Amino acid sequence: MTTNIKRKIQTVIITGLSGSGKSTALRAFEDLGFFGVDNLPVELLPAFLEIKSKQIQSNLNLRFALVMDVREEGFVRSHREIFQRVKKEGYHLEILFLEASDEVLVSRFSQTRRPHPLAPKLPLLEALKLEREIMAEVKEFADVVIDTSNFNVHQLRREIKERFGPRHDLSSLLVHLISFGFKYGVPPEAHLLFDVRFLPNPYFEPSLKPLSGLEPAVRDYVLRQEETKQFLALSEQYLKFLIPQYEREGKTYLVVAIGCTGGRHRSVAIAQEIGLMVKEWGWETIISHRDLEKEA
């Protein structure tokens, strides 16, 4: 089977901490048309893809979402070598890592009354600490990291659908622009980070404060500033150079985070503008605004 055909098979490995939302994420992928499998042994991944790839003639857009975590004994030990082998064979493989704070995970386990996979031998907090240590290498290897601490079930499903919706070209790098507010924390999945808090703030304009960076009045206010024009010109040079380098390295997913204080005005307008710019260069682009709905 040729590499070009294998590249048409989109496979997402869902992994991360216990209680972080992997089952919810899997259902969201299934809603998108992915074939879902929970707790597939990592050693079976190459054979699984080889068998499924034989269906390529009847379905040109095979999509799989596979949950793998500490429940499978050999996962942590073998994941890196197997994932690298699968990518080298030409398959389109993305690793999604979900995590959450200890406080949130303890609350979730309390609500569901389900034991942590490591909890029968350890108190819950110790089990969480051990799992973080065990999974640290997996997180480092991941293409996408999502902290679900502030997500309910519906928000997480929406996040998955937004990030992993239909792709036009799996062979091309996907660029994800995220606007955010520094007061709510930096997106942990960011590969590149732009801080635009130096720009004049529409928040202090009474007529603009209740609006967002998606509104024309706020957008025009931000973009007409001389500082913004210089910043966008420099960002264009920087990203035009850098994005092809990431693709050449083998990345399939690049997250560019753009932050202001609250994540409602400047970062939103700038993310929209850079997103349009990157799209014009021919890259597939997603634009999302993490903190847009939080109070102004």
Side-chain angles (χ1 to χ4, degrees):
M1 180 171 299
T2 67
T3 297
N4 287 339
I5 292 177
K6 289 180 178 179
R7 291 291 293 181
K8 294 180 180 179
I9 302 174
Q10 183 179 9
T11 304
V12 179
I13 304 298
I14 306 169
T15 187
L17 303 182
S18 302
S20 60
K22 296 189 294 294
S23 296
T24 297
L26 181 61
R27 290 192 291 271
F29 276 105
E30 290 173 337
D31 290 344
L32 288 170
F34 283 72
F35 179 89
V37 180
D38 190 11
N39 205 23
L40 179 77
V42 68
E43 289 87 353
L44 297 182
L45 178 62
F48 174 87
L49 292 176
E50 185 65 28
I51 292 170
K52 290 296 182 180
S53 64
K54 294 176 181 177
Q55 303 171 12
I56 197 72
Q57 292 182 353
S58 59
N59 184 351
L60 294 180
N61 292 296
L62 291 178
R63 312 175 83 195
F64 303 109
L66 314 173
V67 176
M68 298 181 183
D69 53 33
V70 294
R71 292 173 296 168
E72 201 274 295
E73 186 176 346
F75 173 64
V76 174
R77 181 184 68 251
S78 307
H79 75 280
R80 183 180 290 268
E81 184 271 328
I82 292 175
F83 290 166
Q84 288 176 334
R85 188 202 323 166
V86 166
K87 289 184 176 182
K88 188 175 181 179
E89 289 178 1
Y91 291 102
H92 181 91
L93 185 70
E94 296 170 89
I95 316 301
L96 167 63
F97 189 96
L98 302 180
E99 63 178 357
S101 68
D102 284 351
E103 180 182 3
V104 168
L105 293 175
V106 168
S107 175
R108 289 175 183 174
F109 276 107
S110 175
Q111 291 171 7
T112 62
R113 298 184 180 180
R114 290 174 48 241
H116 188 283
L118 303 176
K121 301 179 181 179
L122 294 170
L124 181 54
L125 282 175
E126 290 185 28
L128 292 173
K129 179 181 178 182
L130 177 59
E131 186 179 29
R132 286 188 191 279
E133 294 173 355
I134 291 173
M135 297 293 283
E137 183 181 348
V138 181
K139 178 181 175 180
E140 182 182 349
F141 193 67
D143 299 290
V144 182
V145 178
I146 298 178
D147 186 332
T148 68
S149 299
N150 296 317
F151 289 164
N152 61 34
V153 170
H154 305 294
Q155 290 170 325
L156 177 55
R157 293 180 75 148
R158 183 177 64 188
E159 185 81 3
I160 296 298
K161 291 178 181 179
E162 185 176 73
R163 296 195 185 208
F164 293 92
R167 294 282 303 276
H168 299 294
D169 182 7
L170 290 177
S171 65
S172 174
L173 178 73
L174 176 65
V175 181
H176 184 185
L177 282 298
I178 302 178
S179 72
F180 73 95
F182 277 95
K183 66 190 292 186
Y184 304 112
V186 175
E189 66 268 38
H191 300 110
L192 300 175
L193 177 64
F194 292 108
D195 181 351
V196 297
R197 287 176 292 184
F198 67 92
L199 297 176
N201 195 349
Y203 179 88
F204 297 111
E205 298 291 333
S207 63
L208 301 179
K209 179 179 177 179
L211 305 178
S212 79
L214 297 177
E215 300 287 343
V218 175
R219 176 185 178 277
D220 292 345
Y221 176 91
V222 173
L223 296 185
R224 72 168 177 255
Q225 307 297 329
E226 189 59 36
E227 300 97 317
T228 304
K229 295 175 183 178
Q230 294 180 34
F231 170 77
L232 289 174
L234 292 170
S235 298
E236 179 177 3
Q237 295 179 36
Y238 181 62
L239 291 172
K240 266 189 173 178
F241 166 77
L242 206 54
I243 293 174
Q245 308 306 317
Y246 275 105
E247 185 175 54
R248 190 172 297 115
E249 184 193 349
K251 278 193 175 296
T252 58
Y253 193 85
L254 179 67
V255 179
V256 181
I258 301 166
C260 61
T261 304
R264 281 183 49 84
H265 297 102
R266 294 166 292 181
S267 63
V268 172
I270 296 297
Q272 288 290 125
E273 193 67 15
I274 292 181
L276 291 174
M277 184 189 303
V278 173
K279 191 172 183 179
E280 287 178 356
W281 302 339
W283 305 99
E284 284 206 59
T285 307
I286 299 173
I287 305 173
S288 60
H289 305 294
R290 191 192 71 179
D291 301 324
L292 181 64
E293 297 178 5
K294 292 184 170 66
E295 287 188 17

